[in-house]
Amino acid sequence: MTDSPSIPSSSQPKTAEDLYRFLNDLGIAHTTTHHPPVFTVSESESLRDEIPGGHTKNLFVKDKKDQFFVLTVEERAVVDLKTVHKLIGASSRVSFGNPEKMLDYLGVIPGSVTVFGAINDTQCKVTFVLDEELMRHEIINGHPLSNDATTSIGRDDLIRFLKATGHDPLVLKVTD
């Protein structure tokens, strides 16, 4: 028997409430701020004053062998998609994953990609990559499976969350 909480099983994507319950079961402190939906980093900049910590940009990418990755970096960071494959262990250059796989694996739609999507990737089809620069922040912010809220979590707790979902995140410098 394990002390780790189990991820709710269902063919339906988990909800923000499922995520909060899972974090609570892990004993992970988190706060969530609700706001109008934001689809771009520019749209979310008005939230900076009310939400401290590192704000994220998440890229859902794949290589030619259909290995999928979520690259979680600081919101203004630049990722060189022509070379990042060498850093993350991809078999070839990466391109953006399609919305169908995003929904299948992460339970989210374009504009809502988040590191918290790991809760929906129960078969561990996606490798999660956290940028070293982002991980210098004590608090990391991400969408709780939809882009109308921002959930704040401790840096170490984020790694604990990912491991509890069955993912061993890579912490690498993937930004310029």
Side-chain angles (χ1 to χ4, degrees):
M1 181 131 196
T2 177
D3 291 340
S4 232
S6 62
I7 298 171
S9 63
S10 159
S11 59
Q12 292 291 83
K14 311 307 176 284
T15 65
E17 290 72 29
D18 293 326
L19 172 65
Y20 306 146
R21 192 173 314 108
F22 187 67
L23 292 171
N24 290 340
D25 289 349
L26 288 169
I28 291 177
H30 57 95
T31 58
T32 297
T33 303
H34 295 271
H35 50 71
V38 292
F39 294 91
T40 65
V41 168
S42 298
E43 289 177 350
S44 67
E45 284 181 332
S46 64
L47 304 171
R48 295 307 148 258
D49 292 340
E50 59 184 277
I51 306 173
H55 292 268
T56 57
K57 169 169 60 177
N58 296 273
L59 306 175
F60 180 65
V61 298
K62 69 174 219 53
D63 65 13
K64 289 192 190 308
K65 290 189 176 178
D66 283 340
Q67 294 180 98
F68 290 84
F69 302 83
V70 168
L71 309 178
T72 301
V73 303
E74 283 189 286
E75 64 185 350
R76 288 284 176 201
V78 175
V79 176
D80 184 349
L81 292 180
K82 293 178 182 159
T83 61
V84 74
H85 67 283
K86 297 173 188 172
L87 304 171
I88 64 174
S91 66
S92 63
R93 282 190 180 180
V94 297
S95 59
F96 289 104
N98 70 41
E100 292 80 17
K101 291 292 185 191
M102 184 184 299
L103 186 59
D104 285 351
Y105 295 159
L106 304 177
V108 299
I109 59 172
S112 296
V113 176
T114 175
V115 67
F116 293 122
I119 196 171
N120 283 308
D121 183 28
T122 56
Q123 294 184 12
C124 296
K125 299 282 189 180
V126 179
T127 299
F128 287 83
V129 181
L130 306 172
D131 187 55
E132 279 180 0
E133 295 295 314
L134 174 68
M135 296 305 284
R136 291 183 180 175
H137 293 276
E138 286 185 35
I139 301 295
I140 308 295
N141 298 293
H143 292 310
L145 307 173
S146 65
N147 63 0
D148 60 354
T150 298
T151 295
S152 305
I153 184 173
R155 166 189 58 225
D156 296 338
D157 286 335
L158 177 59
I159 291 177
R160 200 156 61 92
F161 159 77
L162 285 166
K163 288 185 177 189
T165 65
H167 298 85
D168 195 12
L170 303 175
V171 179
L172 305 167
K173 178 154 179 43
V174 295
T175 56
D176 292 337

